[in-house]
Amino acid sequence: MTHPEEILLEIEGLEKSFGDRKVLEGINLQVGKGEVIVILGPSGCGKSTFLRCLNGLEPVQAGRIHYRSQDLAKPDVDFREVRQHIGMVFQNYELFPHMTVIENILLGPLKVQKRSRDEAQRQAEQLLERVGLLDRKDAYPRQLSGGQKQRIAIVRALCMNPEIMLFDEVTASLDPEMVREVLEVILGLAKQGMTMLIVTHEMGFARSVGDRIVFMDQGKICEISSPEQFFTSPSTERAQHFLDIFQYDKL
Amino acid sequence: MMVYIFGGRVGVHMQLNWEFMIESLPLYGAAMWLTFKLAFWGILFSLLIGLVFSVILYYKVKVVSSVILAYVELSRNTPLLVQLFFLYYGLPKVGVHLSETACAIIGLTFLGGSYMTEAFRSGIEAVGRTQIESGLSIGLSKVQLARYVILPQAFAISIPSLGANVIFLLKETSIVGAIALMDLMNVAKDLIGMYYKTAESLLLLVLAYLVMVLPLSLVLSWVERKVRYAEFGD
Amino acid sequence: MQNSGIRVLFEGSNFERLLGGLLVTIEIAFISIIIGVVLGTIMGLLRTLNSRPLKAILRLYLEAFRIIPILVWLYVVHFGFSPLLGIDIDGEVTAILVFSLWGAAEIGDIVRGGLESLPRHQLESGKALGLGTRQLYRYILIPQAVRRMLPGAINLATRMVKTTSLVVLIGVIEVVKIGQQIIELGVIKAPTASFWVYGFIFILYFLVCYPLSRLSKRAERRWQN
């Protein structure tokens, strides 16, 4: 996956501010088909905002996001259509509490994509099987653990058959013993060639899953490199400093 | 009812005329049925108005939202009695003639609509921003978002205040007697006026409301507990 | 014709009379709230005590007002008590009696809610600082409880002002009654008077209640979080 043939998503000069405060400045990034991009950076560096812009949850002020011969940075984009191809999973799962697991998963396929119930249900059950939660399909979210909820949220996004998946700190709210079960699901997706942009604080995971590491600080991309290079000899001082914080043994 | 005072002790001696009470039951029954019908329509229309208005307010539709907000304030800050008098005695003078029943239902709806709007609105506002984003991220349209994500949750959150409003409106129907409807209040008043059976008439009046409101109040507090803890205890 | 209708409002002393009538209802509400606050505070405190029968009785008392409409209670006192006690109870006194008892029930519930909602650790951290019981009440309990209770109490005042409009139905001469008198007097000269008079009373009530409910909402926003 090191030399992607086809560029799926191309971001050029993306700018975003909340009032006077600039949160994204001149972001440039190309995402190839099947590529896994892990975005790292200190809190408040703009990495989550960046993901949210790609899914139209935040309006942007300038720049371009090329996707499927459209510019997602323009105000008149039909994000309903786009979101069926770019799935997103959130930090706090955000399952709908009044629906069962299977109802959560089928809402998009049935109501947005108007697929047949039989076919959608079959796919949902296959996906549930894969994440090991088929037996919980009629449970309500409140009956599940955090890790289970997050795996369901991933299935809910996958069942739309997206081309790209965005993961926004999906393990940040989980107890340590549940982090692994969620990361394994994402790792499995990577092996199948899913194109993904992942914001995370799990360094070991970033290293094993990422094709490229994007390091952001203060709204800018400081460096883009292979995991190997980033974790052994980052080219910027800021990245080195960031990594030091995670390596307590250097203290 | 008689009061007797002797030896410095004060007591109330109940001597109810049961026959009279039983004979009056049909009158009270008819009045209860009327109250129930008026309350039913008033509450139904209030709920509809509340649902529609709260969604309009949620989407901040221009101009319409401001009109709705003005209506809510007018309705909540004026008494039903004055609203009814205006409808019943005032409007005919400018060419709008409404029957007593129509006035009562319109009055109750005018009053209840704002209370229901507020109840639904606070329910909608309690649905988290992130839930909405999550719905958006699977491509739901605005209408689908309202239908499948926001309203079902908002409705459950609103149930306690909706229930309180239903009881409030049912009790408020006691005022429609003021515009010449033969409701419970007027039945009691007439019986007192005609037969001087004050204690009996008033007792039946209190009992009639107890019979109508108490079961509702019990059911609602049960539903409230049920919904709160069973569905969304997450 | 419509002009003559609206003119009725300002003919003679009509305008002042209507305002005077409004004052009667406000006065009833005001006195009842004062009495209600005093009685209600006591009831609220009693309801936080650990006495089951006391709790049950006071709860029943509250529910009596929550379930039976106020107008029914006005009728019970107005038509029932006067003959029972063999004395003629004035409509205003009846109204103040009923509204005070209602106010006491509701204020009692607000006070109980305010006291019970205070987090236990607030008291414990007060004690940990070495505050005595009186100091605990003075500096911690009462200031916090009052803030929690104020929005509800103002809200009750608004409801009470609105509900006082009912006293016309037990013969108190207040704003609606004066309105009726004005309409009856002008029935030939100004046939559209009832539209204007009731419209005007509607606005009068709004002008009194709207500021109150704004105040309650502001207090809620500022203090209840």
Side-chain angles (χ1 to χ4, degrees), chain C residues 85-157:
Chain C
L85 300 173
I87 45 164
D88 198 24
I89 305 180
D90 180 63
E92 270 185 63
V93 176
T94 303
I96 289 173
L97 182 66
V98 170
F99 284 110
S100 300
L101 292 175
W102 171 39
E106 294 284 358
I107 293 280
D109 202 45
I110 292 169
V111 169
R112 178 200 57 81
L115 290 177
E116 282 178 357
S117 71
L118 285 182
R120 179 180 294 270
H121 58 76
Q122 279 286 317
L123 271 187
E124 286 169 354
S125 53
K127 277 182 195 160
L129 288 173
L131 296 179
T133 312
R134 271 184 60 183
Q135 289 170 318
L136 274 178
Y137 271 90
R138 165 79 182 78
Y139 296 109
I140 296 178
L141 266 177
I142 293 175
Q144 291 195 52
V146 164
R147 284 167 185 218
R148 275 158 210 258
M149 291 171 211
L150 212 62
I154 302 171
N155 199 23
L156 178 67

Side-chain angles (χ1 to χ4, degrees), chain A residues 173-233:
Chain A
S173 297
L174 295 176
D175 291 336
E177 70 269 23
M178 289 169 182
V179 169
R180 191 176 182 82
E181 65 191 52
V182 172
L183 295 184
E184 270 168 4
V185 171
I186 301 175
L187 218 51
L189 287 175
K191 280 192 191 122
Q192 285 171 8
M194 172 64 80
T195 312
M196 298 189 277
L197 279 90
I198 301 170
V199 167
T200 186
H201 282 124
E202 302 287 335
M203 294 301 143
F205 173 66
R207 192 167 184 168
S208 61
V209 78
D211 293 318
R212 282 191 292 163
I213 303 287
V214 171
F215 176 72
M216 286 179 71
D217 193 17
Q218 293 175 352
K220 293 183 190 133
I221 292 181
C222 299
E223 98 169 71
I224 302 179
S225 43
S226 72
E228 221 17 69
Q229 193 192 340
F230 182 81
F231 285 103
T232 50
S233 53

